[in-house]
Amino acid sequence: MRTWAPAAGAPHGFNHAKRWMIPRFRRTPAAGNLPSVEAVSLKLEEILFTVEEIRRRVEELSDLIRADYEGRDLHVVTVMKGSLFFTADLIRALRRRVTLGCLIASSYRERTVSEGNVELLTQEMGDVKDRHVLVVDDIVDTGYTLEKIREVLLAHEPATLKFAVFLDKVEMREVAFDVDYVGYTIRSKWVVGYGLDCAEQYRELDSIRVI
Ligand code: IMP
Ligand code: MG
């Protein structure tokens, strides 16, 4: 891992006296000794998908999506916070123009035994009416979250509405929900990393691991 720090006396690594020059940086002395983020999480033994497997699958999905939306505008709505990494990788891999909005979804499943209770914040989802909208989420489990998102977005009358998720726990589904683009189908274990959390921990891991 390469870690860079601003040179001494130039708080942002920028030498204001010589604006035309490339900002001066120096290597952080301790950088080579820092443990990787992965190594810090020693309890998370099992890697489900490596960085390389994630990268390859994101490329494949973006190829499909690029072909399907050729000649049409595309508005991506990312579901915060878990799909931040996946969305960032996917829309860059698309190598085409997109617009981007976001939703915040909070699920209170732990307090309701049999029924999903999903709260959605939609003020930043962008202009959806008559647009081709692709919702991007990290993982689909019971299906309540995407079901709620579909209901809310359909009320705004998009031209088309599709869903992409990186992981699908298909065995856990409680409401029928077909996802248009799936990275990987997985068993019903709790996974973290690549944006996915466990009580807000481990989102920063760059592989996907089983807890
Ligand atoms: P659903 O409403 O049951 O489909 O749950 C979907 C949401 O629950 C996802 O968007 C995630 O935020 C969260 N979730 C479900 N399973 C996992 C997991 O294994 N790891 C991390 N988050 C998960
Ligand atoms: Mg989520």
Side-chain angles (χ1 to χ4, degrees), residues 79 82 137-138:
V79 185
D137 205 356
D138 49 1

mmCIF file of all heavy atoms in Angstrom, residues 79 82 137-138, ligand 2:
data_model
loop_
_atom_site.group_PDB
_atom_site.id
_atom_site.type_symbol
_atom_site.label_atom_id
_atom_site.label_comp_id
_atom_site.label_asym_id
_atom_site.label_seq_id
_atom_site.Cartn_x
_atom_site.Cartn_y
_atom_site.Cartn_z
ATOM 1 N N VAL A 79 -27.822 2.959 -3.346
ATOM 2 C CA VAL A 79 -28.464 2.827 -2.040
ATOM 3 C C VAL A 79 -27.375 2.866 -0.970
ATOM 4 O O VAL A 79 -26.581 1.949 -0.839
ATOM 5 C CB VAL A 79 -29.276 1.518 -1.947
ATOM 6 C CG1 VAL A 79 -30.031 1.452 -0.619
ATOM 7 C CG2 VAL A 79 -30.240 1.409 -3.119
ATOM 8 N N GLY A 82 -24.123 0.896 1.951
ATOM 9 C CA GLY A 82 -23.431 -0.341 1.588
ATOM 10 C C GLY A 82 -22.969 -0.419 0.146
ATOM 11 O O GLY A 82 -21.982 -1.089 -0.158
ATOM 12 N N ASP A 137 -27.536 -1.649 -5.482
ATOM 13 C CA ASP A 137 -27.427 -1.937 -4.048
ATOM 14 C C ASP A 137 -26.344 -2.981 -3.809
ATOM 15 O O ASP A 137 -25.919 -3.667 -4.739
ATOM 16 C CB ASP A 137 -28.783 -2.391 -3.487
ATOM 17 C CG ASP A 137 -28.901 -2.122 -1.983
ATOM 18 O OD1 ASP A 137 -27.922 -1.657 -1.366
ATOM 19 O OD2 ASP A 137 -29.977 -2.385 -1.423
ATOM 20 N N ASP A 138 -25.918 -3.081 -2.554
ATOM 21 C CA ASP A 138 -24.842 -4.004 -2.231
ATOM 22 C C ASP A 138 -25.314 -5.452 -2.236
ATOM 23 O O ASP A 138 -24.689 -6.322 -2.817
ATOM 24 C CB ASP A 138 -24.221 -3.648 -0.860
ATOM 25 C CG ASP A 138 -25.269 -3.459 0.247
ATOM 26 O OD1 ASP A 138 -26.486 -3.618 -0.006
ATOM 27 O OD2 ASP A 138 -24.861 -3.142 1.379
HETATM 28 MG MG MG B 2 -27.964 -1.925 1.691
#
